[in-house]
């Protein structure tokens, strides 16, 4: 059975899901998006993703033509119609169809698209052996220019960083702030562990406040692992005991090489492994049920 997508309130076959060439999402990257996972028929942290989508829209003054409740229902319904128990969901809201000028006042109703697809996972050995990364020469856009906390349709900087990783033959690229502090990766947040303590950059540095990142900080609390949001440099990464990335797609992915330096003993570390096990336990238990036969989860 083919997959279906939601386009402005209608369900169409995925291959026929289209928006106008005059949509400002296409012309100018004027819009916002989310990336959400479905685990065994339950949507992980739907509430947090929808809240972040509306926060991104609020900052760029984009009025989403659905209430948050309607958006959640549209997402659940799109997953249900696709019948996928493990999936990736991509809600997108763009400024809508306008003229060739920038002025968003010329745009009619914002375009709302929800795509549900099979998930592209890192191979199992990425979790067993760990990933290699480089530092990208492309820096993060400073938060005082266009705050990366807005999950906008402008991902060109992230894509340039990913191209640098591809050219170097590694899986991911670490991005630095204009001042040279470690920020995040092209599509994942970054953590280091040293002497039993976990550290990740604070959101004000100009990073996406990842839903997985937040779940990992919560897990650290539950597992009695001291965790802090702190500014750090590449020196701290090179000399860390462990390094790992977090994201909806990656979950918790160990990093064992950064810019040719081996991190710790060059294998996924014990804190990373404990957090990954804890995270997988969380995703198997929590979430908004999609299919009728599910017993509603208290954790929601
Ligand atoms: N930083 C950035 C810049 C991101 O785009 C994350 C961190 C992790 O956030 P979550 O909420 O997922 O824990 C993201 C995630 C992909 C992909 O292919 C991921 C993202 C966007 C586009 C593609 O994995 N966002």
């Amino acid at each position: 059975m083919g997959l279906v997508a939601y386009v402005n309130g209608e369900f169409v076959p995925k291959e026929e899901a289209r928006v106008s060439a005059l949509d400002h999402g296409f012309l100018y990257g004027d819009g916002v998006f989310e990336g959400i996972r479905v685990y065994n028929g339950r949507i992980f942290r739907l509430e947090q993703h929808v809240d972040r989508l509306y926060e991104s829209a609020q900052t760029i003054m984009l009025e989403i033509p659905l209430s948050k409740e309607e958006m959640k229902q549209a997402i659940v319904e799109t997953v249900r119609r696709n019948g996928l128990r493990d999936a990736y969901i991509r809600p997108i809201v763009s400024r809508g169809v306008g003229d060739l000028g920038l002025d968003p006042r010329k745009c009619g109703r914002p375009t709302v698209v929800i795509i549900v697809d099979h998930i592209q996972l890192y191979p199992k050995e990425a979790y067993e052996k760990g990933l290699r990364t480089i530092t990208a020469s492309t820096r993060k856009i400073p938060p005082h220019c266009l705050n990366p906390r807005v999950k906008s349709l402008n991902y060109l900087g992230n894509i340039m960083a990913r191209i640098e990783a591809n050219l170097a033959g590694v899986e991911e690229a670490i991005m630095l702030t204009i001042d040279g502090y470690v920020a995040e990766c092209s599509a994942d947040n970054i953590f280091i562990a040293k002497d039993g303590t976990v550290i990740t950059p604070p959101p004000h540095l100009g990073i996406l406040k990842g839903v997985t990142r937040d779940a990992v900080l919560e897990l650290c609390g539950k597992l009695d692992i001291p965790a802090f949001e702190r500014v750090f440099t590449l020196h701290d990464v090179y000399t860390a005991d462990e390094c790992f990335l977090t994201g909806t797609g990656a979950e918790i992915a160990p990093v064992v090489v950064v810019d040719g330096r081996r991190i710790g003993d060059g294998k996924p570390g014990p804190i990373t492994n404990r957090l990954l096990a804890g995270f997988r336990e969380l995703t198997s238990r929590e979430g908004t049920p999609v299919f009728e036969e599910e017993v509603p989860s208290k954790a929601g």
Side-chain angles (χ1 to χ4, degrees):
M1 199 187 70
L3 298 175
V4 293
Y6 171 106
V7 181
N8 293 326
E10 286 178 24
F11 292 94
V12 296
K14 193 182 140 209
E15 312 73 55
E16 288 165 32
R18 291 196 172 84
V19 295
S20 164
L22 289 175
D23 193 296
H24 280 208
F26 180 68
L27 284 175
Y28 296 119
D30 185 356
V32 295
F33 75 104
E34 270 303 320
I36 314 174
R37 276 281 280 271
V38 186
Y39 289 95
N40 192 27
R42 288 162 190 261
I43 304 176
F44 186 65
R45 305 228 158 161
L46 177 61
E47 185 99 13
Q48 286 91 330
H49 283 286
V50 168
D51 284 348
R52 188 170 67 184
L53 182 71
Y54 280 71
E55 286 182 4
S56 295
Q58 161 76 3
T59 290
I60 70 163
M61 299 192 82
L62 171 62
E63 199 165 328
I64 299 178
L66 274 70
S67 68
K68 279 193 191 178
E69 204 44 53
E70 288 166 338
M71 177 63 75
K72 280 184 235 170
Q73 280 169 14
I75 292 170
V76 169
E77 181 61 14
T78 312
V79 177
R80 201 187 61 72
R81 286 189 187 225
N82 281 288
L84 295 179
R85 299 189 64 86
D86 289 279
Y88 185 81
I89 315 169
R90 170 62 55 86
I92 307 144
V93 185
S94 77
R95 194 77 65 179
V97 176
D99 64 16
L100 292 178
L102 288 182
D103 195 342
R105 289 176 302 186
K106 299 279 175 60
C107 298
R109 188 187 149 94
T111 302
V112 181
V113 172
I114 304 166
I115 300 165
V116 172
D117 210 342
H118 304 276
I119 9 166
Q120 305 285 323
L121 297 174
Y122 274 130
K124 204 163 162 257
E125 67 170 39
Y127 298 90
E128 287 158 6
K129 292 194 181 149
L131 304 177
R132 291 160 307 155
T133 67
I134 49 134
T135 303
S137 64
T138 308
R139 300 283 171 110
K140 290 297 296 180
I141 295 172
H144 43 282
C145 296
L146 178 63
N147 200 322
R149 281 196 64 180
V150 174
K151 200 167 166 62
S152 83
L153 297 181
N154 285 261
Y155 255 51
L156 203 45
N158 307 58
I159 290 164
M160 297 317 288
R162 182 60 69 89
I163 289 171
E164 292 186 55
N166 294 347
L167 289 172
V170 300
E171 289 80 20
E172 251 293 10
I174 297 175
M175 299 184 76
L176 308 178
T177 66
I178 278 291
D179 300 317
Y181 297 112
V182 173
E184 63 179 337
C185 289
S186 72
D188 298 294
N189 291 113
I190 186 164
F191 285 72
I192 54 174
K194 177 94 169 171
D195 300 330
T197 297
V198 160
I199 308 167
T200 194
H204 71 76
L205 218 51
I207 59 168
L208 188 77
K209 191 170 179 290
V211 170
T212 318
R213 172 191 181 278
D214 288 350
V216 166
L217 288 172
E218 270 172 50
L219 262 178
C220 286
K222 288 199 186 114
L223 297 174
D224 280 329
I225 301 168
F228 302 95
E229 295 178 293
R230 274 200 198 134
V231 171
F232 58 89
T233 64
L234 279 174
H235 176 79
D236 300 301
V237 179
Y238 297 153
T239 58
D241 299 329
E242 302 180 35
C243 176
F244 59 89
L245 312 182
T246 67
T248 295
E251 301 184 313
I252 299 174
V255 171
V256 293
V257 176
V258 179
D259 297 329
R261 280 85 164 170
R262 195 179 63 199
I263 306 303
D265 61 4
K267 293 197 218 83
I271 292 183
T272 308
N273 287 337
R274 271 178 80 196
L275 288 170
L276 179 58
F279 185 75
R280 292 208 165 139
E281 193 271 326
L282 201 65
T283 57
S284 71
R285 180 163 48 79
E286 262 195 16
T288 306
V290 174
F291 301 98
E292 275 154 21
E293 73 274 21
E294 303 284 338
V295 180
S297 131
K298 267 197 222 128

